[in-house]
Amino acid sequence: MPHNELNVVALVSVGAHPTSGRARRAEQDARAVELGLRLAGSKLQVVHAGDPHAEALRAYLGMGLDELAVLEQGAGADALPALGAYLSGAGAQLVLTGSQAETGEGSGMLPYLLAERLGWPLVVGLAEVERVEDGFAQVLQALPRGQRRRLRVRLPFLASVDNAAPVARQSAFGPARRGQLRAEDVVVVDDALLSEAQLQPARPRPKRLKVIKAKTGAERMKAATAKASGGTGQVLKDLPPQAGAEAILKLLVEEGVLR
Amino acid sequence: MLNTLLPILLFAALALAVLGALKRFLMWRRGRPAKVEWLGGLMKMPRRYLVDLHHVVERDKYMSKTHVATAGGFVLSAVLAIAVHGFGLHNRILGFALLAATVLMFVGALFVAKRRRNPPSRLSKGPWMRLPKSLLMFSASFFIATLPVAGILPEGMGSWILGGVLALGVAWGVSELFLGMTWGGPMKHAFAGALHLAWHRRAERFGGGRSTGLKALDLDDEAAPLGVEKPTDFTWNQLLGFDACVQCGKCEAMCPAFAAGQPLNPKKLIQDMVIGLAGGNDAKFAGSPYPGKPLGEHSGGPHLPIVAREGQGLVDAETLWSCTTCRACVEECPMMIEHVDAIVDMRRHLTLERGATPNKGAEVLDNLIATDNPGGFAPGGRLNWAADLDLPLLSDKKQTDVLFWVGDGAFDMRNQRTLRAFVKILKAAKVDFAVLGLEERDSGDVARRLGDEATFQQLARRNIATLNQYKFKRIVSCDPHSFHVLKNEYGELGGNYEVLHHSTFIATLLAGQNIALGQHALAQQGAAITYHDPCYLGRYNGEYQAPRAVLKALGLEVKEMERSGFRSRCCGGGGGAPITDIPGKQRIPDMRMADIRETGAELVAVGCPQCTAMLEGVVAPRPEIKDIAELVAEALIEVPSEAKKSAARRETAEVN
């Protein structure tokens, strides 16, 4: 269902191919653009904070965009203030991002920090926008194992997409060559963290060993298709903020996230 | 009465035909410009017609003889009739000559009529069923009208009624044969065909030459269209070529996609292009439709998109993506029409402008851009298959005799067996060779045939830049697709090399007695084998002999399939067809395996990683599939080298 009246902005970054490391359009960001194109068609605005000469950005133009706004800044600059300032003046009703960048810090924090800065709600793992009316959007949020949760969110809001969002369309050479990378001057703020912290390659997160107890094919099938059963989860409703925070803290300590 | 009527009829028909010819010519010229040899082409046309084209037509002896009689008779009759009846040269000798010509034409036309009595399905019906009657009418009418000139019948013989009937016959005949030639009747093939031969886009094909490499798009010219969106985006001589079609359906009979029930029929495609050229719909097409696509639903015009963005256009995209680019249609076409060029031109638009490569196409192209191989494998693993072979790298040696082009089969475990077998042969023959290793990239074959000219040129230019750094005498590859692209398609981008297929190279090694072969184990058992010609080795590059010579040297007797040599049937693996994977009623490799089974062979020898993969994908029980290199490696008699002796000594050392 197209929402041509909806003002959608997609934020994109330069990605890196997982096996060759070569610059490309980032997988999740391209999905954000795909979702944006389906919602707003040619009125979609696409924004990147970084180098306007990055050739990899043309792969987004190749999806059928006439132009892409680039908030020009160097490699060590913080994207957050530039994007925040741009978005507060862009009149956007829905801002789409990928969940995590493929290059640079790649902390996955940008959608959260941006939503906080703008004071907008954030939907994580947006899969589909079903309806927009009266300043609210009805959306589907992706949960593990193909589950979907229907949410009603007030506009404007920010949403990050992951692999549950529709696959990005092919990037074509013609539109990629014709499209404009429009550089915009912005106030460049250096990333304070980058200047003092050191970068080191991430270690792969240890995975819990999967012990296969199933003896037969049928059992294995059952195990593979069974619903995730946390079992101990509980829904906290109508709680004072203090009590809610304590419950979350208790869980984090139990799981060993906080020590 | 006839003496006044005939000249009027003849000259009126001729004048209208000239008018039609002009109109048709201007329709072709709506296409994009192309460099042709205007006068030179016309001068060479008779030779191209009588020699080059005749070689193709001669494969069908019946039709060849029929055509010589009918067309030869017609041309003679027409010229003489204009002289005798048009200009009134009532000379007795001319009269007899005209009688003889009409008799020749009449006899030819009888054979045309005979073939039309129970025509095979590949032939178009409709107006084509009328043609033999028109031919008979033309020749018979002029025969009778000429009898008085030859003095066999008295002048002024016959009543008004007989004269009227005769005039009607002549009118019918000249309408079909003069007017129909330029106003779109079946005889159009003669007019357009002759000019097509004169201004053919691949003039190199004539005089025994071969021209199979796709032509490059000029990507630096941003105003030039990226491929063909609408009929006028074809070059004008391509449009002329479409008009030359005689609808004989030889292409249809050979097309593997059509036989598999995929929605492609090369003959219909060319006729659709003619519809696009003139405007209209396909309801009147009188041949076999695209399998699964009823007639009358598609229409187009010169300035309308061929593949519609929404709804029905002239051709559906899946028709274009069904083609395996095997060139069987081009090889078979007696009018030398270039079907594959047209299909790739239209694919270029779909990929480069619309980003609409179907199924796995987009993924494969993305992989080629990001990893230089279609599978998306880490480029650093390109030489893993030879980790234990200690292959000499060209980056170390800087120069070599033979550059072994490995190809993307390096990532495929099945093909690695072939590659290792070939290395064994190279080492046994003590060939001075080297590989590019991690510097090698995909040749660009698949990208180009999926219409992604930009990615092809990028890969090709990088490969050429790499190759330019080194000195080597020749490139040898086990992959006919890389072989073809390196040999025939890099030249336009500045890379000219001597390239050999490994079967050709092995044949020269055998001829030079550089390797010693024993009898293959299968030959000792007396097993029957057959050989499958890869399209890109055979039809594209004319190499049919070397693989057979190698098999013969192994003591293996090849039981030929009915479709072999230049008529070999595609395995279904070319042109990115396994990637775009357009559904049909059956699979092309299954049909090919049926051809193989028919020979009773226990093993089929192949020379292409694509063919190997496609044929091995056929469910067992089926004949075994082995590459020529594997068969040779199995029968290799290795001269024990000194290194081996020392290894043998080490084995005897005891360790306690």
Side-chain angles (χ1 to χ4, degrees), chain B residues 154-198:
Chain B
E155 287 277 343
M157 190 245 23
S159 63
W160 275 90
I161 300 165
L162 188 64
V165 170
L166 205 55
L168 273 179
V170 170
W172 177 358
V174 295
S175 301
E176 181 78 276
L177 286 143
F178 291 175
L179 293 188
M181 206 177 259
T182 59
W183 289 91
M187 282 307 291
K188 186 187 69 183
H189 78 271
F191 164 62
L195 298 182
H196 169 58
L197 289 180

Side-chain angles (χ1 to χ4, degrees), chain B residues 595-618:
Chain B
D595 292 349
I596 294 166
R597 282 201 183 101
E598 245 173 49
T599 65
E602 286 170 38
L603 179 137
V604 53
V606 290
C608 171
Q610 287 289 341
C611 301
T612 313
M614 296 308 284
L615 294 174
E616 287 202 336
V618 176

Side-chain angles (χ1 to χ4, degrees), chain B residues 403-424:
Chain B
L403 169 59
F404 174 28
W405 186 273
V406 177
D408 291 321
F411 293 102
D412 174 55
M413 290 176 78
R414 169 63 184 90
N415 188 240
Q416 289 169 6
R417 300 214 301 264
T418 306
L419 296 174
R420 292 176 70 90
F422 187 59
V423 168
K424 191 178 166 191

Side-chain angles (χ1 to χ4, degrees), chain A residues 166-188:
Chain A
V167 178
R169 68 192 61 184
Q170 188 177 353
S171 175
F173 174 78
R177 184 170 71 171
R178 279 193 299 273
Q180 297 290 322
L181 293 172
R182 184 167 48 81
E184 290 195 13
D185 280 335
V186 288
V187 181
V188 177

Side-chain angles (χ1 to χ4, degrees), chain A residues 17-25 62 168-178, chain B residues 219 222 226 351-353 355-357 362 365-366 369-372 376 378-379 454 462:
Chain A
H17 192 273
T19 62
S20 71
R22 210 172 279 174
R24 62 161 188 175
R25 62 174 182 180
R169 68 192 61 184
Q170 188 177 353
S171 175
F173 174 78
R177 184 170 71 171
R178 279 193 299 273
Chain B
L219 295 177
E222 297 206 11
L226 298 169
T351 294
L352 294 174
E353 280 294 350
T357 324
L365 294 175
D366 275 349
I369 293 167
T371 64
D372 302 327
R462 283 159 154 187

